[in-house]
């Protein structure tokens, strides 16, 4: 994953009025949940955030938050969007220890045309578009390609069949269906 660095400033005001003033000033209010249990209120430039995050697929990204001279490794935990404009209205980050595993959700990109669709007249049904994985923060990936071209009619691809390598431990239930080819 590419290194993402966001500049942030500590904010002292909280509440919906203060958040509205920040948004009108072109900032996104946010919070960092620290490892110590404390929370730090921050503000990030909305334009900088949009330009930095464009092209990133997943909602959980490892970022370095630069607050003055301090750099904090954090994972994006929640992104709230305005229901009318769709613009980001609030960001929640969780500080991470780069030497401890974290649980993240990784998007699945289903590739290939199943044999059961080409030759058996079946229909590909996609049940899940993501899986949960435990890994070190530096090893987080946004999306993984999953080839379903070998599936025949009546066969399914399960979460346990997705191989990501030794750095990753799939924590989604092993019998979770990712994709299946149903008869027409």
């Amino acid at each position: 994953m590419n290194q993402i660095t966001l500049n942030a400033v500590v904010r002292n005001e909280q509440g919906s009025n203060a958040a509205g003033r920040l948004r009108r000033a072109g900032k996104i209010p946010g919070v960092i949940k620290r490892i110590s249990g404390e929370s730090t209120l921050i503000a990030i430039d909305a334009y900088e955030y949009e330009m930095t995050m464009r092209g990133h697929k997943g909602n959980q990204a490892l970022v370095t938050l630069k607050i003055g001279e301090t750099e904090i490794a954090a994972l994006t935990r929640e992104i709230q969007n305005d229901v009318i404009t769709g613009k980001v209205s609030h960001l929640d980050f969780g500080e991470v220890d780069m030497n401890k595993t974290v649980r993240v959700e990784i998007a699945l990109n289903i590739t290939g045309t199943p044999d059961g669709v080409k030759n058996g007249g079946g229909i590909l049904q996609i049940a899940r578009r993501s899986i949960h994985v435990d890994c070190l923060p530096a090893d987080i990936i946004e999306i993984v390609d999953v080839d379903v071209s070998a599936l025949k009619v009546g066969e399914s691809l399960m979460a346990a069949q997705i191989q990501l390598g030794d750095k990753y431990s799939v924590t989604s239930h092993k019998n979770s269906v990712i994709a299946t080819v149903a008869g027409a």
Side-chain angles (χ1 to χ4, degrees):
M1 172 181 277
N2 296 339
Q3 181 64 32
I4 302 169
T5 302
L6 293 171
N7 294 310
V9 294
V10 174
R11 62 185 170 103
N12 298 320
E13 293 182 311
Q14 60 183 357
S16 57
N17 288 336
R21 284 191 295 275
L22 278 173
R23 290 184 193 105
R24 286 189 294 279
K27 307 279 188 218
I28 303 171
V31 64
I32 307 169
K33 178 77 172 181
R34 305 298 295 264
I35 293 174
S36 64
E38 298 174 9
S39 294
T40 303
L41 299 174
I42 60 169
I44 296 173
D45 183 82
Y47 180 77
E48 178 189 349
Y49 178 80
E50 277 185 36
M51 293 299 107
T52 303
M53 298 306 287
R54 68 178 172 185
H56 290 280
K57 304 269 191 269
N59 283 340
Q60 292 185 320
L62 179 65
V63 299
T64 301
L65 294 170
K66 250 185 124 167
I67 304 172
E69 296 297 316
T70 307
E71 291 189 356
I72 301 169
L75 195 61
T76 307
R77 292 294 184 186
E78 185 178 356
I79 300 172
Q80 296 174 10
N81 296 298
D82 184 281
V83 293
I84 295 172
T85 64
K87 291 184 178 182
V88 176
S89 61
H90 194 273
L91 295 164
D92 286 358
F93 296 97
E95 183 180 16
V96 294
D97 180 342
M98 296 300 285
N99 298 314
K100 293 186 179 176
T101 61
V102 292
R103 180 162 294 164
V104 294
E105 188 173 7
I106 296 177
L108 300 175
N109 179 34
I110 307 298
T111 63
T113 303
D115 182 54
V117 171
K118 277 196 269 187
N119 303 319
I123 299 168
L124 175 64
Q125 297 176 335
I126 299 172
R128 293 184 62 121
R129 299 239 177 231
S130 63
I131 57 171
H132 289 103
V133 173
D134 284 348
C135 65
L136 290 173
D139 295 327
I140 294 173
I141 53 177
E142 293 179 15
I143 193 164
V144 63
D145 292 331
V146 177
D147 185 16
V148 294
S149 57
L151 292 178
K152 298 184 179 355
V153 173
E155 292 183 345
S156 297
L157 175 69
M158 306 295 200
Q161 295 172 290
I162 297 176
Q163 300 300 317
L164 297 173
D166 295 338
K167 295 179 181 180
Y168 305 94
S169 173
V170 176
T171 57
S172 293
H173 193 278
K174 64 180 179 177
N175 291 331
S176 293
V177 175
I178 304 298
T180 188
V181 176

